[in-house]
Amino acid sequence: MSTETYSLPSTQPLTDAYVNLTDSRVESLFGYHPGRKGDWELRAKRLAESAGARAEAASVAAVLRDYNSKWNAAPEALAAIDAIAEGAPVIVGGQQAGLWSGPLLVIHKAVSIIGAARHAEQLLGRKVAAVFWIAGEDHDWDEANHAYVLTADQGLRKLAAARPEGARTSVSRTAIDANTWAELLAELEQALPHSDFKPEILQQLGQITEQAQSLSEMFAGVISCLLSKQGLVIMDADDPQLRKLEAPMFEKLITHNDELEQAYTAAANQVKELGYPLQVDVTPGSANLFVFQTNKGQERTLLYKQEGSFQSRKGDYSLTKEQLLDMARQQPEQLSNNVLTRPLMQDYLFPVLGTVLGGAEIAYWAITGEAFRKLDMEMPLVLPRISFTLVEGTVAKHMSKYELTLEDVAVRFEERKQQWLAEQDQLSIDEKFAAAKQAFEDLYAPLLDLAASVQPGLAKLGDTNRQKIIEQITFLETRTKDAHEKQYEAAIRQLDRIALSLWPSGKPQERVLNMIAYWNRYGTSWLDKLLEAPFSPLGGHQIIYL
């Protein structure tokens, strides 16, 4: 298998400082580092010592078994759940659900979780389970409802599910009916090029959507279909059965809410004092918890502390602390975490050896370290996910033909494209038209002076006339260039295909394209190459040639 490494431009200096150990001050925000073997061993030891402080492993495993069995989990995933029941540590990472699995980075994160679990098994000599945390409690429908697919006509098509009528609730609680699934599948079938794998893929997706009542469930079915054979266990953060097990932790988050707010604020201030930007705002008075309002169709509402109670931002919904605690005990499914309390809940549910995160996630996890300590917990190992760029054979051939690197495509594509076109201009079109314009200007200038000397008012008329003639020469120049470039239409299509495949819409491939075009063209062999790629606990970016 052919692979290369590439350093993607980073937008997270704090994450870079942590991963590369370039700023020793940042280490205190996290605690462990994935590049040190001793930290893996120490974290595993501490997990064993604190087993009684977490949810009962057998109960968590029972919920996972029910959920994964619904999506026809492979024996390897069920075996991992058995190991969780016996107290095996886990590597966990997650993402919000997306249509047909969302952007490629979702698959990259899942592959990274699997790779990290296998890496940990080799270091520790024991079973480590891989868990994918589906953030079904999130309510950002516009972020979850679509997928960008490469089409048969070399285009990029956005497929999207319209938001059903009703309250702004979690993606897991937003129901999608059979007719909508049928329409989405029909649109997908139309967009995908014909291939040997297409009928089977559409059949598998049809079977998944027959059971799926939400985007989160469809997402779970797709991830299970692709990766449960690798031992990946899936879960939905909004699973009501898991919520029951989370009740004691919700009580803690409510009881110690003021202390946690102080911890987040102190950590945020520390990050700023170190000279790094905050990735997430720490809002004064925020409880960092959501409630699903039953009187508003399960609308997900963020709570704020005001006048001794927990209220919505507008103040039209209010609970006393005791009422909120009673909800945690009796109806924990009505509560939900935000980005700052989710890490704590994750560590309560599982013995988390390590968590796989994207660059922005690592930056905001830096704010949670003190909150872990306030609850006598420890932040797990934080591992950056590995990212990939998939390069198809035809694209690789064209990159070689035009002498383009991935960096050329990412950083200076239009410049290189225009440079290549200019090099094909054997007629010196630019130079000859420029010379003609200058020759005209030289001939016309004395005539303008002459006309102005006869009658001053003719100067303006003459200048207008000059501009019109220059415009006509420019018009002819443009038409000549267009006609010349038509000779290179095939080359332009090849160049544009490179950009569309590797850096669509001016963004990394993984942040835009859905995986289904590769599944459709290569079966699962493209995924096998990701799974076979070298794993690094420090993340990085790899170019995979298909």
Side-chain angles (χ1 to χ4, degrees), residues 392-452:
E392 299 187 74
T394 302
V395 172
K397 182 179 72 174
H398 291 154
M399 289 177 72
S400 177
K401 175 181 176 180
Y402 300 109
E403 300 180 338
L404 293 173
T405 64
L406 179 58
E407 184 171 350
D408 287 330
V409 179
V411 177
R412 60 186 76 89
F413 175 72
E414 278 302 322
E415 177 186 335
R416 289 299 309 276
K417 177 181 173 181
Q418 294 305 319
Q419 178 186 347
W420 184 87
L421 286 171
E423 289 169 356
Q424 310 316 303
D425 181 9
Q426 304 299 322
L427 302 175
S428 301
I429 294 172
D430 285 334
E431 291 83 352
K432 289 180 179 178
F433 271 94
K437 289 177 186 177
Q438 187 59 52
F440 165 73
E441 294 276 14
D442 293 342
L443 286 170
Y444 201 70
L447 296 179
L448 276 178
D449 293 341
L450 176 62

Side-chain angles (χ1 to χ4, degrees), residues 98-102 104 107 148-150 185 188 192-209 218-229 390 392 513-528 530 546:
L99 182 62
W100 312 130
S101 78
L104 272 165
I107 302 298
Y148 285 96
V149 177
L150 290 172
L185 278 169
L188 178 64
L192 287 177
H194 294 296
S195 76
D196 292 340
F197 302 105
K198 183 176 177 179
E200 182 182 356
I201 291 171
L202 291 172
Q203 181 184 20
Q204 287 176 306
L205 294 178
Q207 291 171 350
I208 290 169
T209 54
M218 176 279 302
F219 180 92
V222 172
I223 298 298
S224 182
C225 175
L226 290 173
L227 290 166
S228 66
K229 287 183 181 179
L390 303 177
E392 299 187 74
L513 301 185
N514 181 266
M515 60 85 197
I516 208 158
Y518 301 97
W519 191 10
N520 181 57
R521 184 164 183 177
Y522 302 100
T524 56
S525 64
W526 68 276
L527 185 55
D528 294 337
L530 299 189
L546 300 178

Side-chain angles (χ1 to χ4, degrees), residues 333-390:
E333 69 278 3
Q334 294 304 113
L335 294 174
S336 170
N337 298 290
N338 80 342
V339 295
L340 293 178
T341 52
R342 188 178 297 162
L344 303 174
M345 185 62 77
Q346 178 177 287
D347 207 71
Y348 173 75
L349 268 184
F350 297 105
V352 182
L353 179 64
T355 184
V356 173
L357 303 172
E361 291 174 304
I362 292 175
Y364 74 66
W365 266 64
I367 298 174
T368 66
E370 185 60 27
F372 273 98
R373 289 186 282 273
K374 286 288 184 183
L375 298 185
D376 296 322
M377 302 165 73
E378 260 189 348
M379 188 188 294
L381 283 153
V382 172
L383 294 88
R385 71 167 176 84
I386 298 174
S387 60
F388 303 92
T389 294
L390 303 177

